[in-house]
Amino acid sequence: HPLKIILKDALKKDEKSVARDVMESKMIYIYTLSLSIPALKEASEAWMGVAKMVDKTNPLKEYNAELWDPRKDEWRSLDLGVQAAAEGGGSSF
């Protein structure tokens, strides 16, 4: 996935990246994967609202790190849905 490569490269180049940066990168990737899973349409739209995204296909546009909190209920359904889809396809996340 192109976004995964972009995020990994950005983290490698950023000498100041911390564990929170890695977590946020994974969240962005999971969110992006959810967009291709029809069963997660409502969950991804809910997360878009929580994170106050202005463009669902570009979660980094006007990105606000404070809103990307994996403890929020809306995140849980999205995260678990992507994991279930991966497992259903014979993979894991």
Side-chain angles (χ1 to χ4, degrees), residues 1 3 35 39 42 44 72 75 77 90 92-93:
H1 197 277
L3 181 60
L35 296 177
E42 285 183 28
S44 63
K72 294 184 178 178
W75 179 254
S77 60
S92 65
F93 190 84

Side-chain angles (χ1 to χ4, degrees), residues 8-57:
K8 277 186 164 185
D9 287 347
L11 288 170
K12 283 180 189 177
K13 291 176 185 174
D14 184 1
E15 295 177 10
K16 297 178 184 178
S17 69
V18 294
R20 172 88 183 171
D21 297 323
V22 173
M23 181 194 65
E24 289 173 358
S25 293
K26 288 179 181 178
M27 289 179 73
I28 291 167
Y29 184 57
I30 290 169
Y31 165 76
T32 304
L33 289 174
S34 77
L35 296 177
S36 64
I37 303 169
L40 294 178
K41 182 179 181 197
E42 285 183 28
S44 63
E45 287 175 352
W47 185 252
M48 184 180 172
V50 168
K52 297 188 180 184
M53 282 182 253
V54 296
D55 181 349
K56 76 176 187 176
T57 61

